[in-house]
């Protein structure tokens, strides 16, 4: 038995915190990546229940789930597309498109003209993320989107921060570049539309950047690198499969990375890296300093003798040896337990697989 538990009350609490902090500023609930791994439909329902009417996704399948559930929802597609099939579906679903280039604008404008309708769009400005959007210096192209596309109505403009988790200066430089674009549009006598730039972390750290809207995803799950009174959502619940005594000198796991110094009672749990346990992401080695940072944190973990743990009957138990594909072995010498007792493992909702996700 293994289940990924999602406490709906924790998500409701997080929504309350975020809505209070946003005040009159609208929140766009970002439900990309299948609602951060938890499912678009139940996540949308919780947001809707709290009065959130705006959603952002990157896939039309996600948009469709929300549209079928809530015909009055505003749905923003964060990924620009010039694909005819996708654009047709986007118009069918009444989804707000992102325009990140003149080609995006031309493709949508001509399709909307054929279909004799006006498509609502937000314009994306690339202030450093380097994925989608007009560069701030492409002002003429940006103005053209507003001016020369009769079948496109721009209701918003946005950018995305790349380093909201680190020093403020990066984020504020991006916000400045973004504001300058908005000012230039206004100076040209054009109404730019609702401006939004904050993701969860930027919004929680610098609410003064909230502008006309904030886009929050990970904060719904309380998984942000800021203390903001949010509750962390999601954990894996399983049961102790077997209890065994291993004699001194015995080992566990591939590579025999752990060897018993004395007789040790171990519990075997039916969850491993396949299910997302201990799979970390975001460890990049792009620059020398990223490598150093990874090495440093590994060193720190070693010096502090940081151990990976699981919780059995409410007690912390150290994981022994390498986590297996489907199994984890942990030390329960001092923890009274029996097969069938409950074990709790920390797994990111973005990593979890191979088990049912249960909202409770
Ligand atoms: C993912 C994403 C967000 C939400 O980011 P969080 O940090 O999870 O809140 C906001 N805007 C864009 C463009 C995104 O891709």
């Amino acid at each position: 038995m293994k289940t990924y538990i999602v406490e709906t009350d924790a998500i409701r609490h997080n929504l309350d915190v975020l809505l209070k902090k946003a005040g009159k500023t609208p929140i766009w609930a970002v439900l990309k990546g299948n609602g951060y791994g938890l499912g678009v439909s139940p996540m949308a329902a919780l947001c809707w229940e709290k009065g959130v009417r705006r959603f952002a996704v990157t896939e039309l399948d996600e948009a469709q789930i929300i549209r079928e559930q809530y015909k009055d929802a505003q749905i923003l597609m964060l990924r620009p597309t010039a694909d005819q099939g996708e654009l047709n579906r986007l118009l069918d679903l009444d989804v707000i498109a992102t325009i990140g280039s003149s080609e995006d604008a031309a493709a949508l404008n001509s399709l909307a003209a054929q279909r004799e309708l006006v498509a609502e769009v937000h314009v994306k400005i690339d202030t450093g993320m380097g994925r989608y959007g007009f560069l701030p210096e492409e002002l003429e192209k940006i103005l053209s989107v507003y001016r020369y596309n009769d079948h496109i109505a721009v209701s918003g403009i946005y950018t995305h921060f790349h380093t909201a988790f680190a020093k403020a200066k990066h984020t504020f430089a991006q916000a400045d570049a973004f504001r300058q674009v908005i000012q230039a549009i206004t100076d040209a006598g054009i109404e730019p539309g609702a401006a939004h730039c904050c993701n969860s972390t930027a919004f929680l750290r610098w609410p003064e950047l909230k502008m006309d809207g904030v886009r929050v995803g990970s904060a719904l799950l309380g998984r942000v690198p800021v203390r903001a009174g949010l509750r962390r959502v999601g954990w894996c619940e399983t049961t102790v499969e077997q209890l065994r005594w291993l004699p001194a000198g015995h080992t566990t796991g591939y590579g025999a990375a752990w060897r018993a110094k004395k007789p040790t009672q171990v519990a075997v749990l039916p969850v491993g890296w396949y299910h997302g346990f201990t799979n970390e992401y975001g460890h990049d080695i792009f620059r020398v300093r990223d490598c150093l940072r990874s090495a440093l944190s590994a060193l720190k973990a070693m010096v502090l003798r940081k151990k990976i743990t699981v919780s059995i009957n409410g007690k912390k138990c150290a994981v022994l040896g390498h986590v297996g594909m489907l199994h984890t072995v942990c030390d329960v010498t001092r923890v009274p337990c029996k097969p069938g007792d409950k074990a709790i493992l920390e797994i990111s909702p973005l990593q979890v697989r191979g088990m049912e996700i249960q909202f409770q």
Side-chain angles (χ1 to χ4, degrees), residues 51-340:
V52 173
R53 296 293 178 262
R54 292 172 176 83
F55 299 89
V57 295
T58 60
E59 299 305 320
L60 286 159
D61 287 346
E62 296 164 343
Q64 184 169 345
I65 291 168
I66 300 172
R67 177 59 71 226
E68 282 168 3
Q69 218 160 305
Y70 305 109
K71 74 177 191 345
D72 295 330
Q74 288 189 53
I75 308 171
L76 170 64
M77 172 94 157
L78 294 169
R79 175 173 57 81
T81 176
D83 178 90
Q84 290 292 304
E86 282 203 318
L87 288 176
N88 263 311
R89 210 172 150 206
L90 189 141
L91 293 175
D92 292 341
L93 291 169
D94 191 16
V95 167
I96 305 168
T98 285
I99 300 296
S101 69
S102 305
E103 291 73 25
D104 296 339
L108 182 57
N109 190 63
S110 71
L111 187 66
Q114 273 173 39
R115 292 181 52 162
E116 295 178 4
L117 46 79
V118 175
E120 183 179 350
V121 305
H122 284 199
V123 169
K124 177 85 186 272
I125 308 298
D126 177 7
T127 55
M129 194 66 175
R131 302 194 296 210
Y132 307 122
F134 294 95
L135 300 175
E137 53 268 34
E138 295 180 311
L139 189 60
E140 282 311 312
K141 286 187 184 172
I142 298 168
L143 292 176
S144 296
V145 177
Y146 290 83
R147 278 179 178 147
Y148 305 124
N149 294 282
D150 293 343
H151 290 270
I152 285 179
V154 183
S155 61
I157 181 165
Y158 71 104
T159 194
H160 191 43
F161 296 137
H162 49 63
T163 324
F165 49 83
K167 281 194 194 113
K169 67 172 184 190
H170 306 293
T171 298
F172 279 81
Q174 280 189 272
D176 272 349
F178 182 50
R179 279 204 197 91
Q180 279 172 30
V181 172
I182 295 168
Q183 188 59 51
I185 296 169
T186 311
D187 290 347
I190 295 168
E191 159 59 41
H196 46 108
C197 57
C198 281
N199 58 0
S200 298
T201 303
F203 167 53
L204 292 168
R205 293 183 71 188
W206 307 294
E208 66 269 30
L209 294 178
K210 65 187 177 183
M211 298 190 183
D212 308 319
V214 292
R215 304 183 305 272
V216 296
S218 43
L220 300 172
L221 313 186
R223 288 171 177 267
V224 281
V226 223
R227 274 201 208 107
L230 300 173
R231 284 173 63 187
R232 199 177 168 81
V233 173
W235 68 80
C236 166
E237 221 172 84
T238 186
T239 47
V240 173
E241 209 157 60
Q242 292 219 339
L243 279 184
R244 308 182 59 221
W245 277 99
L246 300 182
H250 207 82
T251 59
T252 65
Y254 290 113
W258 176 83
R259 185 179 297 274
K261 292 200 180 82
K262 52 183 190 299
T264 305
Q265 191 174 38
V266 301
V268 182
L269 307 175
V271 174
W273 56 256
Y274 174 83
H275 304 100
F277 183 49
T278 69
N279 296 358
E280 282 189 36
Y281 62 101
H283 265 296
D284 75 65
I285 51 167
F286 191 72
R287 299 165 298 186
V288 171
R289 78 167 99 126
D290 299 318
C291 293
L292 286 176
R293 192 173 294 139
S294 291
L296 210 65
S297 76
L299 198 69
K300 207 164 124 189
M302 191 184 82
V303 171
L304 296 174
R305 302 193 64 82
K306 246 189 176 163
K307 291 201 176 99
I308 297 170
T309 60
V310 305
S311 163
I312 295 178
N313 291 337
K315 296 242 160 51
K316 266 192 185 175
C317 309
V319 169
L320 302 176
H322 290 302
V323 170
M325 180 174 170
L326 298 156
H327 294 100
T328 297
V329 173
C330 57
D331 185 353
V332 291
T333 310
R334 290 168 205 285
V335 177
C337 61
K338 54 185 188 311

